[in-house]
Amino acid sequence: MSDRIVVDPITRIEGHLRIEAKVENGVITNAFSSGTMFRGIEKILQGRDPRDAWYITQRFCGVCTTVHAIASIRAVENALDIHVPYNAELMRNIIMGSQCVQDHVIHFYHLHALDWVDITSALQADPAKTAQLQQSVSDWKYSSEDYFKSVKDKLTAFVNTGKLGPFANAYWGHSAYKLPPEANLMAAAHYLQALEIQKEIIKIHAVLGSKNPHPQTFLVGGMALPIDPNSQNALNADRIAMIKEYNNIAKEFVEKVYIPDVLAVAPFYLDWAGIGAGHKNYMSYGEYPETNKGYPNDMWIPSGIIMGGDLSNIMEVDQSKIAEDTAHSWYVDKDAKHPYEGATEKRYTGPKPPYQFLEVEKDYSYVKSPRYNGVPMEVGPLARVLVAYAKGHKEIKPVVDSVLAKLGAGPEALFSTLGRTAARAIETLVIVNRVDKWINDLTENVRAGDYTTHAGEKWEPVTWPKTAQGYGWHEAPRGALGHWIVIEDGKIKNYQAVVPSTWNAGPMDKGDIHGPYEQSLIGTPIADPNKPLEILRTIHSFDPCLACAVHLTDEKGIEITKVQVL
């Protein structure tokens, strides 16, 4: 028996994503990923001042704002050979590290956890047993029977309203849910706590960046935030202490809630350590420069390429080998090109909406298909953790080994849907502790009398060459992010951004080789084609970001969500 499943839109993501899958005898045998929204900011940038690019590129997405800012800044600095002061690098590390921690907390609890946690089951939980469970996994301060009873009462009242909002279309009661009611209640409580904690984490951006989203203090050449121990209008000891306290809040939650939750949930779903591997090709650009040599030198998280899951052979990344294939994408130019030469001229040739299926033998997505030396690459926390693990990273490797030991699994278990989820948690733990180090390093550098935050010698366009080109990389929460810029006569001639979800969500290339999303779904068992929860588990493990997600409503306000099985 063969079914064609359509899930459109995929919710609990940023952007508009459609997945089609062919299911035979309860297993996905083919899959297709389609980004159904066009993004054209690259064209808006042409002719503008390169120093303004970082501010505009933040508008690629309403969530991933900071990451585009830093990649854009680095692209211009690379093109103009600008070296950033050490204080500025440390500030940037603190901003980007806290962004990653907050993003991962939100992803696990608010975007991905409900693929494993059945909220309706929590209504049957015994609060006393839930308290015992909580106390057995960590000494988190919210662990009393009364607390969990209050959460259960709150959930019950919410369900009784009949207005479930974002929870209305979930697959509650699905046979693939395996957690006992008490574990579901504990996870539901942490879902609510994470809503509050993530607000505290990101206040670091308010101190160092003036606001979030869309921080204001990045600047080509460093940071626009002055350091002055004697001024309340600059970064001083009080503000650094404030940053440290916000990071301490994050550390407590990650260590006592996030990590224990992952370790508590994973044993119920160990079969998912063998599902969702994909191509097993991984790429990390590396991140977080830690010396005064500046980016991209001496990075704490290393760069590297893994091919076919071979952890014994880590290759270095060569940006000249990156190209975007558009053989199955809705664009005019069908030649695979390096981002310096890339074009963004859309041409929709798909079926007229509303349609039943994509024309997958032709073009079927607005997402391009990036390739490294002609090969698809998975990017993201799993790629970073695997590269670091294979290189013997002194902070990451011990944590990976500890998690694998607790799960009774080997490194091969990381090549999976469960592996992506575990890698994100591992990365959150090591980064939240590293942010503490960067805060201390900044304090010591200021104490030594270094107040410099900006290198201004190449600020004016008269100091620039007539033509220049450069690229800026950042390991965003979702993976390897790259911006490429071509400057001519002081203006932007061409600009291309290759984002993590472009690497992961791209359609087939000219050789009909699937992108990472697509390949990772092939071989996935489907218990109920009418409720394809398994598709959501693997797709959400990548944390898709095609832009800010919205729910569609008709003129009567009725939510439109389609799961079609034929």
Side-chain angles (χ1 to χ4, degrees), residues 279-390:
H279 294 291
K280 299 182 183 179
N281 302 328
Y282 304 95
M283 181 174 70
S284 169
Y285 288 155
E287 190 49 79
Y288 306 115
E290 291 200 316
T291 69
N292 58 11
K293 294 179 182 178
Y295 185 89
N297 301 293
D298 301 326
M299 290 187 291
W300 178 59
I301 290 182
S303 62
I305 297 277
I306 295 172
M307 297 299 297
D310 183 2
L311 299 182
S312 67
N313 182 26
I314 308 299
M315 295 168 281
E316 290 307 310
V317 183
D318 179 354
Q319 72 90 24
S320 69
K321 295 182 179 180
I322 295 172
E324 289 191 292
D325 188 299
T326 55
H328 283 280
S329 304
W330 290 312
Y331 293 98
V332 173
D333 192 343
K334 290 300 178 183
D335 295 327
K337 290 185 176 180
H338 185 276
Y340 282 142
E341 288 79 42
T344 314
E345 296 291 340
K346 69 181 179 70
R347 181 179 63 188
Y348 180 77
T349 57
K352 182 179 180 180
Y355 50 83
Q356 191 173 25
F357 298 121
L358 296 165
E359 296 174 341
V360 295
E361 68 282 355
K362 301 177 182 178
D363 302 346
Y364 61 91
S365 180
Y366 275 123
V367 181
K368 298 180 182 179
S369 300
R371 295 293 183 262
Y372 182 84
N373 205 22
V375 176
M377 306 299 297
E378 177 178 332
V379 301
L382 178 57
R384 289 192 291 270
V385 167
L386 286 172
V387 169
Y389 182 81

Side-chain angles (χ1 to χ4, degrees), residues 453-563:
T453 61
H454 185 256
E457 62 272 12
K458 295 183 180 180
W459 176 255
E460 294 297 336
V462 294
T463 65
W464 304 349
K466 180 177 177 57
T467 60
Q469 62 182 27
Y471 61 93
W473 287 346
H474 171 59
E475 275 298 324
R478 291 167 177 86
L481 168 64
H483 284 219
W484 280 259
I485 189 170
V486 178
I487 301 171
E488 188 173 285
D489 295 326
K491 302 295 182 183
I492 298 173
K493 181 179 181 181
N494 196 18
Y495 201 103
Q496 290 293 313
V498 185
V499 308
S501 290
T502 311
W503 282 103
N504 291 332
M508 293 186 295
D509 58 24
K510 63 182 178 182
D512 288 344
I513 304 299
H514 285 293
Y517 283 6
E518 298 174 333
Q519 188 65 33
S520 67
L521 288 172
I522 295 173
T524 300
I526 299 291
D528 182 355
N530 291 295
K531 297 179 178 180
L533 175 63
E534 297 85 352
I535 288 178
L536 298 183
R537 283 179 174 172
T538 290
I539 295 299
H540 283 151
S541 75
F542 287 93
D543 192 12
C545 186
L546 290 92
C548 297
V550 296
H551 288 282
L552 304 180
T553 59
D554 67 10
E555 66 277 7
K556 297 179 181 179
I558 299 174
E559 185 176 25
I560 301 173
T561 299
K562 178 170 66 176
V563 177

Side-chain angles (χ1 to χ4, degrees), residues 231-242:
S231 172
Q232 292 302 309
N233 296 318
L235 188 64
N236 55 34
D238 289 344
R239 293 193 179 188
I240 293 176
M242 190 184 303

Side-chain angles (χ1 to χ4, degrees), residues 53-54 57-75 92 95-104 205 212-215 218 287-288 384 472-483 495 497-501 545:
W54 71 273
T57 58
Q58 290 189 71
R59 274 68 186 175
F60 279 145
C61 175
V63 175
C64 309
T65 61
T66 312
V67 300
H68 288 294
I70 193 66
S72 182
I73 286 278
R74 286 173 173 171
R92 291 178 180 185
I95 289 173
M96 304 318 302
S98 60
Q99 168 73 28
C100 194
V101 171
Q102 187 226 21
D103 193 279
H104 286 351
H205 285 203
N212 178 274
H214 307 298
F218 283 122
E287 190 49 79
Y288 306 115
R384 289 192 291 270
W473 287 346
H474 171 59
E475 275 298 324
R478 291 167 177 86
L481 168 64
H483 284 219
Y495 201 103
V498 185
V499 308
S501 290
C545 186

Side-chain angles (χ1 to χ4, degrees), residues 145-311:
E145 178 182 349
D146 287 344
Y147 172 74
F148 286 111
K149 183 179 183 302
S150 70
V151 173
K152 181 179 177 180
D153 291 345
K154 184 182 296 185
L155 289 174
T156 301
F158 174 66
V159 170
N160 288 340
T161 66
K163 300 176 181 179
L164 300 183
F167 306 114
N169 290 306
Y171 303 136
W172 308 128
H174 196 290
S175 62
Y177 284 119
K178 297 180 181 180
L179 294 181
E182 287 71 29
N184 285 316
L185 179 57
M186 183 176 75
H190 295 163
Y191 178 106
L192 297 174
Q193 290 166 8
L195 288 171
E196 297 300 320
I197 293 295
Q198 62 88 18
K199 293 191 301 181
E200 298 302 307
I201 298 171
I202 213 60
K203 286 179 180 178
I204 291 174
H205 285 203
V207 178
L208 290 180
S210 296
K211 65 190 291 286
N212 178 274
H214 307 298
Q216 306 290 297
T217 58
F218 283 122
L219 197 65
V220 170
M223 295 289 291
L225 179 63
I227 296 174
D228 186 345
N230 300 311
S231 172
Q232 292 302 309
N233 296 318
L235 188 64
N236 55 34
D238 289 344
R239 293 193 179 188
I240 293 176
M242 190 184 303
I243 292 169
K244 197 174 186 68
E245 182 55 33
Y246 290 137
N247 193 61
N248 287 338
I249 293 171
K251 283 174 62 178
E252 183 184 30
F253 186 80
V254 170
E255 292 173 353
K256 296 187 177 183
V257 181
Y258 186 5
I259 296 299
D261 278 354
V262 171
L263 293 175
V265 169
F268 291 92
Y269 295 104
L270 288 180
D271 52 329
W272 282 85
I275 298 172
H279 294 291
K280 299 182 183 179
N281 302 328
Y282 304 95
M283 181 174 70
S284 169
Y285 288 155
E287 190 49 79
Y288 306 115
E290 291 200 316
T291 69
N292 58 11
K293 294 179 182 178
Y295 185 89
N297 301 293
D298 301 326
M299 290 187 291
W300 178 59
I301 290 182
S303 62
I305 297 277
I306 295 172
M307 297 299 297
D310 183 2
L311 299 182

